[in-house]
Amino acid sequence: MDPEPFRMPLFSKNFAKRVGGVLSKYRHITQYLKVNSKRGKALDFGTGFGAFLPVLSELNDEVIAVDAFDDQLRAAKDLCLYMGLKNVTVLKVARINGLSGFEDSTFDTILATDVLEHNLNYKDIVVKLKRVLKTGGPLIVSLPPREHLLYRIFARREVEHDRERGHVYHSSKGADEVELFLLKHFDLELKESAHTFIHYTLLRGG
């Protein structure tokens, strides 16, 4: 049985903080992209509903957006159609070996926001992200910070996940492990905690 999702009261202070965190994340990562991305071909790994596709489309000649879930993919495709993002291709990929179809050094920029910590096979994903990123290209990642109370609480629980899909629901420990593994494979250029709910990391392919 799937665990019940955490539901935050609509008018609580924590809900307001979470909304602020989302807006802060979008603003900061958008700025990182504008300053650090090199025009060319970009990958939005785990695009979700495609929030960053407009800015990626503006800054790149070609954008590939991938996700494993149909509802997110439909929303991302609708966004591209509505905004006329003709240089964006939205693709469904498998949770396992989802990057195997891309050749080495394919992308000039890779964005992976709020996605790596939700995958049991994150080590394999990180290795493949490095493979498909051009040398010196930026990988911009966001992960939940270990210090937030909600994540401390969830970290005391066993990691709950759907074994068939390999999707992790809550784990601050998992996010910490992802970050440590990332630093073994990429050069850290910038790390910033812009909000209590999220931090941002800019890495470079070696």
Side-chain angles (χ1 to χ4, degrees), residues 1-199:
M1 180 180 296
D2 287 346
E4 292 187 9
F6 173 76
R7 300 186 184 280
M8 189 174 291
L10 181 59
F11 297 108
S12 70
K13 291 182 179 179
N14 278 336
F15 180 80
K17 285 184 177 180
R18 193 170 185 87
V19 171
V22 171
L23 295 175
S24 176
K25 175 185 71 173
Y26 179 83
R27 183 174 65 253
H28 280 77
I29 292 179
T30 297
Q31 183 62 31
Y32 290 174
L33 286 168
K34 290 182 177 180
V35 173
N36 295 287
S37 63
K38 180 181 178 181
R39 189 168 191 88
K41 189 172 184 177
L43 172 67
D44 189 3
F45 181 80
T47 188
F49 300 106
F52 292 99
L53 292 182
V55 67
L56 286 171
S57 174
E58 176 187 349
L59 297 174
N60 290 274
D61 298 319
E62 182 180 1
V63 179
I64 304 296
V66 301
D67 209 295
F69 299 107
D70 291 334
D71 52 350
Q72 282 95 327
L73 291 166
R74 282 193 295 269
K77 288 179 179 178
D78 287 345
L79 176 68
C80 291
L81 182 63
Y82 177 76
M83 299 193 68
L85 308 180
K86 296 181 179 180
N87 61 338
V88 178
T89 302
V90 180
L91 301 173
K92 182 174 182 177
V93 296
R95 293 188 69 89
I96 305 298
N97 297 323
L99 293 169
S100 59
F102 299 110
E103 297 182 358
D104 295 359
S105 302
T106 296
F107 299 101
D108 299 280
T109 300
I110 296 179
L111 182 64
T113 58
D114 309 336
V115 61
L116 295 177
E117 74 275 14
H118 293 290
N119 287 273
L120 294 174
N121 62 325
Y122 71 86
K123 292 183 178 180
D124 180 62
I125 293 173
V126 168
V127 171
K128 287 184 168 68
L129 287 174
K130 183 175 183 178
R131 178 182 66 79
V132 300
L133 180 63
K134 291 182 179 178
T135 301
L139 167 64
I140 299 176
V141 175
S142 64
L143 297 166
R146 68 180 66 85
E147 67 269 16
H148 194 272
L149 177 61
L150 289 178
Y151 286 94
R152 289 182 193 168
I153 293 172
F154 288 129
R156 296 191 187 104
R157 302 163 60 184
E158 276 188 38
V159 174
E160 299 172 337
H161 58 83
D162 182 330
R163 291 186 181 277
E164 182 177 349
R165 297 194 305 170
H167 181 267
V168 179
Y169 287 92
H170 300 296
S171 176
S172 67
K173 179 182 177 182
D176 293 344
E177 292 173 352
V178 171
E179 183 176 23
L180 290 173
F181 194 76
L182 277 165
L183 295 177
K184 292 181 180 178
H185 292 270
F186 293 88
D187 298 324
L188 177 64
E189 182 166 317
L190 175 67
K191 179 178 176 179
E192 179 179 348
S193 294
H195 195 276
T196 55
F197 274 91
I198 209 76
H199 69 233

